[in-house]
Amino acid sequence: MYLEHYHLTHPPFAEELDPDVFFPGARREEICQSLILDVLAGKRLVKLTGCEGSGKTLLWRMMAERLPSEYEVIFLDNPIGTFDELIRSLCLDLGMDPRGTEPDPDYIEILPRLLARKKTERSKVVLIVDQAEKLHLATLERLLVLVADEEAEFEWTAILVGRPEFDEYLERISVFRSTIDVHAGYVLEELTESQTRQYLRFCLDGAGMRRAQFEGIFTDAVVADIFDQARGNLRLTNTCAEEVLKASCADRSFMVLLEAVEPEEREEEAPPGHWQLRILEIYELLLCHKLLSGALIGAVAAVLLIGFLLTRDNAASGPAAEAPAAVADGPTTAGAPAIQSGETGPAAGAAAIVATKDERRDGDKLLRERLAASASWLTGMRQGKYTIQLMTLASNQAQATVATTLTEDDFFQIRDQLFIFRKKSKPPTVFVFYGLYDSLDAAREARNNMAVFLRKRQPYPLAVDEAMKKLNN
């Protein structure tokens, strides 16, 4: 709706950061150029760390696109598995025949040959490991030793990209591997309030918004509120800015729609369903409109509700409503559809099962139960416990989405392992954590052995006190 209203060429604030919209401020361009220079200089090991949603993936993709054509970028995402599995994936990306020629190949011997072949072809290799904090400590240590081997004849650069806790893993390894420099790299800081304004302006400039429009919508107070909610996180900043645009557009369009439904003389000319569509349009606007006074919203909502009820009553008074209701052969479960006379066998049994399942899996009830159960989980902060962050949702529909997810078969089976917290932010944020563990290694092991439907959400282990900081910020 706001795209047409402001004549924008594309949505300026996507939930997933857009590689075509690279914000150069907040040292993003500086770090990108430094990474390129590190690769051109032949540096063996570089790290890039930053919080979730800070734009790490977007930055290294921009860096990779700007490298000269002779550089071949190998990208490993979600690096879960053993060291041998990691090297096998790397060998396959470098051109190893997947069918193999040996019954039990040694990939550590194959890798140097593949890298040497690339050198002969005048191709230089850049390895990028995203989400490097997911690596087993033993796997990470062996990878660092392999990459930092100065005596190796082949040339390559490894860029390890991870969240802040990745630095902790590197420090632990450096105690035993003092010859490996684990400090060379860059930290992607979250935006300040001033940089947040620059970022918003940059995105809207690219989408075609005029400066006067921007200044009228994203006032100093609005930008301050966005920064207060997102704290410089690019992904959350996008979500908040999207909500502001929707609300602003609704504010400017609301009175136009009211005028469209006032004149009584237009009612006869309106096509069938015209009033119902107008009512739904206004209702949707009210859902996303946050700036009107409570009195106006209450008054308009009351009028719409009366109109909706009258429309429904008229529809219900037709011939279909006059037919007698089917009588069930026996008693029915409260809230379940009655089985009509003559309906027996598998169909009747299936109807009863579905009714029982739907009644048992009340998403709102399940969510309330998990919110209550999570209260005792907070004591883990004082016990040095660890958990796994499964998902973070920041939107007005976040709570409803989690409630629906809990009714799904896979999540329903593991509901007792889920700990859910709501954060009163704008937009509301819901955090979902999985399990409670005595050590970080135990949490990492649990993460690595998760079912596929959970691993697809790219979960990661962290200390409970770290999780609490996210809730309190």
Side-chain angles (χ1 to χ4, degrees), residues 194-410:
S194 174
Q195 292 166 346
T196 297
R197 169 175 280 279
Q198 296 171 18
Y199 172 73
L200 297 173
R201 186 77 189 104
F202 172 82
C203 293
L204 287 164
D205 264 343
M209 176 174 279
R210 299 193 304 272
R211 179 173 294 275
Q213 289 178 321
F214 173 82
E215 293 177 349
I217 300 169
F218 292 92
T219 62
D220 290 343
V222 170
V223 173
D225 188 48
I226 291 176
F227 176 73
D228 185 58
Q229 301 303 324
R231 289 295 170 186
N233 183 292
L234 286 181
R235 187 173 293 128
L236 289 179
T237 298
N238 281 358
T239 301
C240 294
E242 179 87 0
E243 292 293 325
V244 169
L245 280 178
K246 289 179 179 178
S248 174
C249 183
D251 193 24
R252 288 159 172 75
S253 305
F254 186 73
M255 296 310 297
V256 175
L257 282 177
L258 283 182
E259 292 172 2
V261 299
E262 281 179 358
E264 297 180 358
E265 61 272 16
R266 298 183 186 178
E267 184 173 0
E268 296 179 358
E269 302 175 2
H274 170 79
W275 295 114
Q276 291 89 334
L277 290 175
R278 285 297 186 186
I279 289 171
L280 289 175
E281 287 176 359
I282 298 175
Y283 178 69
E284 289 176 356
L285 286 173
L286 286 171
L287 285 179
C288 69
H289 188 75
K290 301 177 181 177
L291 303 177
L292 289 177
S293 67
L296 179 59
I297 291 178
V300 175
V303 172
L304 295 179
L305 180 59
I306 292 172
F308 172 75
L309 292 176
L310 289 175
T311 303
R312 187 183 64 178
D313 290 342
N314 290 337
S317 63
E322 297 174 1
V327 179
D329 287 338
T332 60
T333 303
I339 301 173
Q340 296 185 359
S341 178
E343 191 175 289
T344 58
I353 292 173
V354 170
T356 303
K357 178 180 178 180
D358 289 343
E359 182 182 7
R360 175 165 55 91
R361 298 192 184 180
D362 181 335
D364 292 333
K365 180 180 178 182
L366 290 171
L367 178 60
R368 289 195 299 270
E369 290 175 353
R370 294 319 305 158
L371 288 169
S374 301
S376 60
W377 183 77
L378 297 176
T379 58
M381 179 172 56
R382 296 191 296 271
Q383 300 172 1
K385 299 290 186 179
Y386 294 83
T387 187
I388 300 171
Q389 182 161 328
L390 195 57
M391 66 179 88
T392 303
L393 293 86
S395 72
N396 288 330
Q397 292 77 39
Q399 185 167 320
T401 300
V402 173
T404 302
T405 301
L406 289 173
T407 65
E408 298 175 4
D409 287 343
D410 290 333

Side-chain angles (χ1 to χ4, degrees), residues 401-421:
T401 300
V402 173
T404 302
T405 301
L406 289 173
T407 65
E408 298 175 4
D409 287 343
D410 290 333
F411 282 91
F412 185 77
Q413 299 299 326
I414 63 166
R415 62 190 184 282
D416 291 339
Q417 293 295 317
L418 302 177
F419 300 95
I420 303 174
F421 300 90

